[in-house]
């Protein structure tokens, strides 16, 4: 178990980094994980294919039985379960963009004085305190300035950059393939780690003492070799799919992927 826990820490590290970059906080993730634990304990850990009781799901998942019952009812309603906990940043923006006192005559976000001593209720300090009095406005402001979410105008008022909240072009498409590719890679690795038979192909080549020039050369070579393999496999899949069109057996999907990653070599810890 200790080795598996260390492996989980390493696997989750880039995901946590991504979540924090996109404003997903721990309470939000906790809510999301709770629903997933119930869903998977319900569907994938059944005895004799029978739907488990709330008590069994609670035992397997470690989530209180009342919460299990609530979440299973939501799953049965076919309504997508979305975490109810919204990040502080999202709450602040929602208030700034949705409250009349924070909007100008054109309906845009009004520039706010930095401190309540300067602008009273129409200040960034008051905005933050109104949503969460446990977080100092200076902490939020420094982070938002770093992310480009706000800026100072010539009067040193805090101005919301509305464009910062519009997803980058193609982000939704990238998120789709992020989910598809990472899910299938993780599913194959988890299948193999749990002793599934036959095991899925899941191999890599890795070195940790290469110079920058060598990394560049290997990156270029890996792209050329990988694209050749992907194109060949894609050509075969198209032909096979046409040949399978008349087959009435249940359909299956597949994924074959490649990736290349590099970073400065560091002592082996947990990520």
């Amino acid at each position: 178990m200790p080795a598996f826990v260390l492996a989980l820490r390493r696997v989750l590290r880039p995901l946590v980094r991504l979540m924090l970059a996109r404003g997903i906080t721990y309470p939000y993730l906790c809510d999301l994980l709770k629903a997933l634990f119930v869903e998977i304990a319900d569907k994938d850990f059944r005895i004799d294919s029978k739907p488990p009781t709330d008590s069994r799901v609670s035992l397997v998942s470690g989530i209180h039985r009342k919460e299990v019952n609530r979440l299973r009812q939501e799953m049965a309603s076919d309504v997508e379960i979305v975490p109810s906990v919204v990040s502080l940043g999202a709450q602040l923006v929602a208030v700034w963009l949705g409250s009349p006192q924070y909007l100008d005559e054109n309906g845009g976000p009004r520039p706010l004085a930095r401190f309540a001593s300067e602008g009273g209720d129409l200040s960034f300090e008051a905005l933050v305190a109104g949503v969460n009095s446990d977080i100092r406005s200076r902490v939020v402001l420094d982070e938002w300035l770093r992310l480009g979410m706000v800026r100072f105008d010539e009067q040193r008022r805090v101005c919301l950059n509305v464009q910062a909240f519009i997803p980058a072009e193609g982000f939704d498409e990238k998120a789709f393939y992020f989910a598809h590719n990472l899910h299938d890679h993780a599913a194959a690795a988890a299948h193999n780690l749990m002793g599934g038979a036959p095991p899925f192909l899941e191999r890599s080549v890795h070195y940790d003492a290469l110079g920058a020039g060598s990394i560049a050369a290997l990156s270029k070579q890996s792209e050329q070799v990988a694209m050749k393999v992907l194109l060949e496999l894609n050509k075969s899949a198209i032909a096979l799919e046409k040949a399978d069109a008349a087959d009435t057996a249940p359909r299956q999907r597949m994924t074959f992927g490649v990736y290349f990653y590099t970073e400065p070599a560091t002592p082996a810890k947990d990520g």
Side-chain angles (χ1 to χ4, degrees), residues 21-48:
R22 300 302 303 183
I24 302 297
T25 59
Y26 171 74
Y28 191 102
L29 177 63
C30 189
D31 238 22
L32 180 64
L33 282 174
K34 189 184 296 183
L36 283 172
F37 266 71
V38 170
E39 177 186 343
I40 294 171
D42 184 348
K43 295 181 179 179
D44 296 349
F45 288 83
R46 297 185 173 188
I47 298 176
D48 297 329

Side-chain angles (χ1 to χ4, degrees), residues 74-95:
E74 291 181 6
M75 287 189 293
S77 68
D78 292 328
V79 175
E80 184 177 359
I81 299 175
V82 179
S84 59
V85 181
V86 181
S87 69
L88 173 62
Q91 294 180 63
L92 289 172
V93 173
V95 172

Side-chain angles (χ1 to χ4, degrees), residues 183-264:
H183 169 274
D184 285 6
H185 189 170
H191 170 89
N192 294 346
L193 191 58
M194 291 189 292
F200 286 110
L201 171 67
E202 210 254 329
R203 299 286 187 271
S204 66
V205 175
H206 48 91
Y207 287 82
D208 59 7
L210 293 163
S214 299
I215 290 292
L218 289 170
S219 176
K220 183 177 181 180
Q221 182 184 6
S222 67
E223 184 173 354
Q224 293 171 343
V225 173
M227 284 306 300
K228 182 178 180 181
V229 173
L230 289 171
L231 289 172
E232 289 179 357
L233 198 65
N234 184 64
K235 184 178 179 180
S236 297
I238 290 174
L240 289 168
E241 190 172 57
K242 289 181 179 179
D244 289 341
D247 191 341
T248 58
R251 304 290 88 179
Q252 288 187 253
R253 70 176 188 86
M254 58 79 67
T255 298
F256 175 81
V258 292
Y259 64 92
F260 182 91
Y261 178 73
T262 181
E263 67 178 1

Side-chain angles (χ1 to χ4, degrees), residues 1 17 40 52 70 85 97-98 103 130 137 141 154 201 208 211 257:
M1 184 61 76
R17 186 181 300 119
I40 294 171
R70 177 183 67 82
V85 181
L97 294 177
L103 302 177
S137 62
L141 180 60
E154 63 280 358
L201 171 67
D208 59 7

Side-chain angles (χ1 to χ4, degrees), residues 111-153:
L112 301 177
R114 184 171 177 179
F115 301 108
S117 59
E118 301 170 349
D121 291 339
L122 294 180
S123 65
F124 188 76
E125 185 177 30
L127 171 67
V128 175
V131 174
N132 190 325
S133 60
D134 294 330
I135 300 292
R136 292 190 301 132
S137 62
R138 173 62 185 272
V139 175
V140 178
L141 180 60
D142 287 347
E143 179 65 8
W144 280 19
L145 286 169
R146 184 185 72 82
L147 295 173
M149 294 165 62
V150 293
R151 60 177 176 80
F152 288 126
D153 64 8

Side-chain angles (χ1 to χ4, degrees), residues 64-75:
H64 194 279
R65 188 166 55 84
K66 289 184 178 179
E67 277 290 275
V68 169
N69 181 265
R70 177 183 67 82
L71 291 168
R72 293 180 84 182
Q73 288 182 17
E74 291 181 6
M75 287 189 293

